[in-house]
Amino acid sequence: MPIAIESYREEHQNAVRAFNQRLRAGTAEPDLVFYERCRPAWLPKLDGSPLYNEYFVAQENGAVHGAYALKYEQFFSPEHGEFAVACYHHPLSEGVIDRNYFSVGGLLLRDAVRREPRLYALGMGGYDHSLPKMLKAMGWELRSVPFYFHIVHPYRFLRQMMVLRITFLQRWMMNLAAFSGTGWAALAAWQKIKRLRVGRPLGALEAVEVEEFADWADSLWLEAKHAYHLASVRDRQTLARLYPPSQKHLTKLCVYQQGRPIGWAVIGERRKDPKYGSLRVGSIVDCWAHPANATPIIYCATLKLEANGMNLIVSNQSHEQWRRALEECGFFTAKSNFVFATSKQFSALLQKGDFGQFHVNRANGDGLPANF
Amino acid sequence: MTDVAERVKSIASDVFGVPAHKIFPDSSPQTLERWDSTQHLTFVLALEETFQLQLSPEETERIRTVGDAVRLVEEKIQVTGE
């Protein structure tokens, strides 16, 4: 009996557990496992909501050999209005541990495109991984979402940024820069100069932590959505699903200028990652405003993360105005391995629009629960 | 060797980066190092484009060797030709 791809149901759960056990035994990647419950814990299907997750499994005689998830959502472009797309995420194939299943990865992807031709994928760890290579083979368009980082404590950064301390020479240079004071003094001075340039003209700004997005979120969405060539819908209803009050690991900020809401940001502390050593890493996960107001939003989000004790702050943003805002607030940029890929049908809709006019960040995709 | 077999062999040679004279009907992921999931997908897409075919998931799954691909394409061409 050939491999068949079908909706993930309760009867598949034991087979998915067995699949995960085989993946765990065959790889050194603890995260390389599929959801063990068929009902999504994050964004389950609810009546009337266009934002939900759905899971699929590739099974053969009751054994699961692959799986993937689709996050259905609405995007907006001034040309097409609101339209449905899906994010292709968590594709897993037994092919990674057993060459007999080499065809499963392609089967999953083609099945997903058949179910929802307007697809995107996000993150993926860079262009040299197998998924982006497959997407490219299928004619998808791939672009990097620029990466930015802000060093709050240069001394700690130089001492603990493990990804920059791999060779003996790197460690020696980083230690020299940290202990002599030259490195951290230069970093701190450069960031302060940038911040001073932006801090003064911003005027009376206030960032208020909110439990949930109120009517002002709808106003901000409507005011700004036509300023972007493409954005995922960020109206009040969508935000309530993405960032419910029960979700405590992310902080929602409404930014006021002279008493009027001008935008919002969602920030949080990233989970520990060996490449960052013991640094506390904060993330500007999501943000929305008219592009002209990007700088005050990034400024307030950065101050809040600094106040929360972060040592390093990171963000991925595609829109040129948001990228400029990050630079104005003292962020540096580095090579990004965060890839935004769109299927042929989705790309055709965008008509090769300028990626610098798209609003894509880490809140897209599947990262909000734990990988933002 | 049929024309289809020659063309499939040529596609396999390009996709898996092996000279055509080293591709045999029983060549498979076990014998061709570059035949992984990504290259398998590339191989299937190249077959579809070259022979103007649509392969279903079940048919894609049937391709375990170069010979399987040849047989499948020949079957599909016959059906289309009728």
Side-chain angles (χ1 to χ4, degrees), chain A residues 326-343:
Chain A
L326 288 160
E327 285 169 9
E328 286 176 352
C329 291
F331 282 69
F332 296 104
T333 187
K335 186 174 176 256
S336 171
N337 59 11
F338 201 68
V339 180
F340 178 64
T342 48
S343 66

Side-chain angles (χ1 to χ4, degrees), chain A residues 18-273:
Chain A
F19 171 56
N20 285 342
Q21 279 170 7
R22 294 195 297 277
L23 290 177
R24 276 197 202 99
T27 69
E29 300 272 344
D31 288 344
L32 207 66
V33 288
F34 199 67
Y35 306 101
E36 296 201 342
R37 289 184 181 276
C38 60
R39 182 180 155 79
W42 182 56
L43 301 176
K45 195 168 188 173
L46 292 181
D47 285 345
S49 174
L51 177 62
Y52 61 92
N53 268 304
E54 198 170 359
Y55 302 156
F56 302 91
V57 292
Q59 67 88 23
E60 182 186 33
N61 300 324
V64 166
H65 299 295
Y68 72 90
L70 291 180
K71 183 187 115 196
Y72 294 92
E73 59 189 306
Q74 298 288 113
F75 269 61
F76 174 85
S77 81
E79 196 179 349
H80 301 285
E82 287 188 15
F83 56 91
V85 301
C87 171
Y88 180 67
H89 67 100
H90 279 83
L92 283 170
S93 156
E94 192 138 11
V96 297
I97 52 165
D98 183 344
R99 278 176 83 86
N100 284 317
Y101 297 98
F102 64 90
S103 63
V104 174
L107 284 179
L108 298 175
L109 180 55
R110 283 162 65 99
D111 185 76
V113 173
R114 189 182 56 76
R115 287 177 199 272
E116 176 51 71
R118 289 175 190 167
L119 278 185
Y120 79 96
L122 191 68
M124 300 178 278
Y127 293 96
D128 54 346
H129 286 58
S130 66
L131 178 58
K133 283 183 184 168
M134 265 193 210
L135 299 179
K136 203 160 181 174
M138 290 271 288
W140 289 39
E141 275 188 46
L142 279 69
R143 317 152 181 93
S144 294
V145 185
F147 171 68
Y148 288 84
F149 66 100
H150 171 69
I151 305 160
V152 184
H153 295 294
Y155 176 80
R156 279 186 205 157
F157 174 81
L158 292 165
R159 291 282 292 146
Q160 293 171 19
M161 188 68 178
M162 293 315 191
V163 74
L164 297 178
R165 296 173 61 87
I166 294 166
T167 66
F168 174 78
L169 183 65
Q170 284 175 330
R171 284 195 296 277
W172 187 82
M173 298 274 286
M174 297 280 274
N175 284 344
L176 179 72
F179 290 126
S180 69
T182 51
W184 68 259
L187 279 170
W190 174 245
Q191 293 188 149
K192 261 193 189 130
I193 290 166
K194 281 185 145 190
R195 182 76 66 80
L196 278 174
R197 281 208 309 248
V198 72
R200 283 192 189 126
L202 290 179
L205 281 178
E206 191 189 6
V208 178
E209 205 172 313
V210 294
E211 270 290 296
E212 55 192 324
F213 291 91
D215 286 342
W216 48 263
D218 268 341
S219 307
L220 291 170
W221 166 248
L222 294 171
E223 280 165 25
K225 66 180 185 178
H226 287 275
Y228 297 92
H229 188 87
L230 177 78
S232 54
V233 170
R234 288 287 181 266
D235 59 13
R236 184 184 176 181
Q237 200 180 3
T238 306
L239 292 168
R241 289 220 71 200
L242 288 176
Y243 308 110
S246 57
Q247 186 188 60
K248 300 294 179 199
H249 66 296
L250 292 170
T251 302
K252 296 162 273 233
L253 297 175
C254 177
V255 177
Y256 292 81
Q257 193 166 39
Q258 282 146 359
R260 192 180 76 86
I262 57 163
W264 54 260
V266 174
I267 57 175
E269 180 171 358
R270 292 183 73 174
R271 63 181 175 176
K272 290 288 172 217
D273 183 332

